[in-house]
Amino acid sequence: MNTSQTILRPAPVFDAQRIRADFPILKLEINGKPLVYLDNAASSQMPQQVIDRLVRYQTTQHANVNRAVHTLSEIATSEFEAARHKLQHFINAREEREVIFTSGTTDSINLVMHGYGRKFIGAGDEIILTTLEHHSNIVPWQMLAEEKGAKLRVVPVNDAGELLIDEYEKLFNERTRFVGVMHVSNALGTINPIRQMIAFAHARGVPVLIDGAQAAPHMQVDVQDLDCDFYAFSGHKLCGPTGIGILYGKAEQLERMQPFKGGGDMILSVTFEKTIYNTIPYKFEAGTPPIAAAIGLGAAVDYLSGIGMDAIAAHEHALLDYATVQMKQMPGVRIIGTARHKSAVLSFTVDGVHPHDVGTLLNQEGIAVRTGHHCAQPVMQRFRVPATSRASFAFYNTMAEVDALIAGIRTVQKVFA
Ligand code: PMP
């Protein structure tokens, strides 16, 4: 069945063509075909506005922050702190000092593991994670569990890739000390019911870290409304630079924690006998921070907010629905991850074709998808697949690009027929 002809494209809710003009890289051709960039869950592209902001910083504002009284250092410091302010508002944090600049989600989670976990989690204590977690929200906790003699408990999922919330609730006992859960699954797209999970944990006095790497770029995040203790995400998935991300932490949690990295800027005074640590957020920002990247991330959240996170979410949902309906009708194509609440991630397998071959053949058509285990091997084990191909959408993708993907998969099937 030629589904792309039988399924009507929904009317656009959003002027993606106008938006695309902001992204120089989207004009590229790959293998002689227009680039169809569907690897946004791995890293998204950068609009000219963010590129210009980085150039302006490097050409007219750069110096090290926090240390000098000279004009450039003052400008760099105030622009860096202005970026923190933008990030505070982007996630509706109560206070600016609750936003710590890190190098990304992985770094943020490691900060919480070292700063909170190593101080407050001990032998026999339990940490609840989920089957869906990215390796970056598994391995640090496993390292802690090994070091301390603590135990990981894992929330299972159903065949659609939805967390079993009854099972989650049953995992709690008097030894539960911490919960780490992703907001949106990078491998399956499942949007987890984190608000409810956080409330349940808090009723038992247990703090919760949210890995928001796949949520912050795609939906409005309000950390006060969620009431999470920690929320982590990366700049490069959010139209910003690589090497930057944030950790949001409730001030009272950050105050209680020990520093993760020692060095300059995270201290108030140092003698060989004793060091007095700086106040938050600086206690967690040792050394010269990624100043340009933080300012670039500030420009990225300005850009996204200018479009509107609700409009972004609506457009991406329309893309996801359109792609899902078509893929469901393709014989030999299996969608992995069919949760009722999903974000713009579509993982799939094609019968008789290894995902790497799917990715390679799509690349010949100019279509960029990711293939592999998506740093979520427990998810692959749960669904008994070695790997999947994954198309992940951003607000600058179009319905025509979905059609190109579907046509590309048909070509793959023909090659392997
Ligand atoms: N968590 C999730 C859900 C992710 O998708 C990713 C990136 N694939 C990460 C964490 C790690 O992000 P980073 O590599 O930017 O630290």
Side-chain angles (χ1 to χ4, degrees):
M1 183 171 28
N2 189 345
T3 49
S4 66
Q5 284 170 8
T6 55
I7 294 163
L8 287 180
R9 272 191 208 165
V13 287
F14 191 81
D15 189 356
Q17 284 307 339
R18 189 182 54 75
I19 300 276
R20 290 174 73 80
D22 291 337
F23 290 81
I25 206 166
L26 297 179
K27 298 182 182 78
L28 285 182
E29 291 197 343
I30 301 287
N31 295 322
K33 308 273 170 58
L35 168 65
V36 175
Y37 187 76
L38 301 177
D39 193 19
N40 296 287
S43 205
S44 61
Q45 300 297 350
M46 193 183 274
Q48 191 64 49
Q49 289 84 338
V50 177
I51 298 168
D52 288 347
R53 184 66 191 91
L54 291 171
V55 170
R56 183 156 71 91
Y57 171 74
Q58 293 296 170
T59 50
T60 66
Q61 299 182 315
H62 174 67
N64 209 332
V65 292
N66 296 338
R67 289 189 196 109
V69 292
H70 68 78
T71 302
L72 270 186
S73 179
E74 279 175 5
I75 293 172
T77 305
S78 76
E79 295 299 330
F80 178 67
E81 290 305 327
R84 196 190 307 277
H85 187 72
K86 289 171 201 268
L87 269 301
Q88 176 204 346
H89 286 281
F90 186 63
I91 55 169
N92 194 31
R94 196 173 287 114
E95 301 177 60
E96 246 168 65
R97 64 190 183 123
E98 295 181 316
V99 174
I100 298 160
F101 283 119
T102 65
S103 69
T105 310
T106 305
D107 194 33
S108 298
I109 295 171
N110 276 276
L111 192 165
V112 178
M113 185 280 265
H114 284 272
Y116 185 95
R118 293 184 79 198
K119 187 164 176 189
F120 296 114
I121 297 173
D125 288 345
E126 296 188 0
I127 300 161
I128 297 180
L129 304 174
T130 84
T131 306
L132 295 177
E133 297 315 304
H134 188 279
H135 297 163
S136 63
N137 202 23
I138 299 174
V139 182
W141 302 110
Q142 214 158 32
M143 291 162 81
L144 180 75
E146 268 173 31
E147 177 187 321
K148 298 283 186 176
K151 201 166 154 191
L152 302 185
R153 309 293 306 271
V154 183
V155 186
V157 295
N158 64 20
D159 290 341
E162 295 164 324
L163 294 178
L164 298 176
I165 296 303
D166 289 355
E167 299 298 322
Y168 165 69
E169 295 182 354
K170 278 190 224 150
L171 288 179
F172 280 80
N173 62 41
E174 69 288 349
R175 298 312 304 260
T176 309
R177 293 288 178 269
F178 199 81
V179 173
V181 55
M182 64 194 345
H183 195 164
V184 170
S185 159
N186 63 310
L188 306 182
T190 312
I191 303 176
N192 292 320
I194 56 166
R195 209 163 171 276
Q196 176 190 346
M197 294 172 79
I198 293 164
F200 190 87
H202 283 177
R204 283 142 196 88
V206 178
V208 183
L209 165 108
I210 303 297
D211 169 354
Q214 296 296 341
H218 302 289
M219 59 186 70
Q220 192 73 57
V221 171
D222 182 333
V223 291
Q224 289 189 66
D225 178 59
L226 290 171
D227 197 29
C228 51
D229 298 271
F230 304 101
Y231 197 99
F233 61 89
S234 302
H236 68 94
K237 296 183 198 282
L238 209 134
C239 301
T242 51
I244 187 76
I246 71 152
L247 174 70
Y248 157 81
K250 279 184 181 168
E252 69 258 31
Q253 295 289 19
L254 296 175
E255 300 274 20
R256 303 166 66 209
M257 285 160 59
Q258 62 192 18
F260 169 28
K261 296 170 186 165
D265 282 339
M266 53 77 72
I267 55 90
L268 288 177
S269 71
V270 178
T271 65
F272 278 106
E273 287 68 44
K274 184 163 176 63
T275 290
I276 311 286
Y277 301 133
N278 209 337
T279 51
I280 61 169
Y282 310 109
K283 180 168 89 172
F284 297 107
E285 292 179 354
T288 299
I291 309 165
I295 291 170
L297 180 56
V301 301
D302 276 350
Y303 180 83
L304 293 177
S305 304
I307 297 169
M309 295 311 293
D310 290 342
I312 285 172
H315 177 68
E316 292 176 354
H317 270 106
L319 292 169
L320 179 70
D321 288 348
Y322 182 51
T324 304
V325 169
Q326 298 199 61
M327 248 190 221
K328 270 190 181 158
Q329 299 192 12
M330 295 178 80
V333 176
R334 175 182 166 211
I335 297 177
I336 311 286
T338 49
R340 276 158 297 169
H341 299 292
K342 269 189 75 169
S343 183
V345 169
L346 199 51
S347 258
F348 60 95
T349 56
V350 180
D351 284 354
V353 192
H354 192 279
H356 289 294
D357 293 330
V358 174
T360 305
L361 286 171
L362 288 178
N363 184 53
Q364 285 176 11
E365 304 295 316
I367 304 167
V369 298
R370 185 140 299 243
T371 57
H373 53 61
H374 315 296
C375 296
Q377 286 184 359
V379 177
M380 301 297 118
Q381 288 149 16
R382 167 64 178 79
F383 286 89
R384 296 197 176 82
V385 287
T388 70
S389 303
R390 180 188 70 183
S392 54
F393 303 105
F395 56 94
Y396 44 67
N397 289 126
T398 64
M399 298 294 169
E401 289 182 313
V402 173
D403 290 340
L405 171 68
I406 299 296
I409 297 170
R410 283 213 183 86
T411 305
V412 171
Q413 288 182 309
K414 273 187 210 135
V415 170
F416 280 83

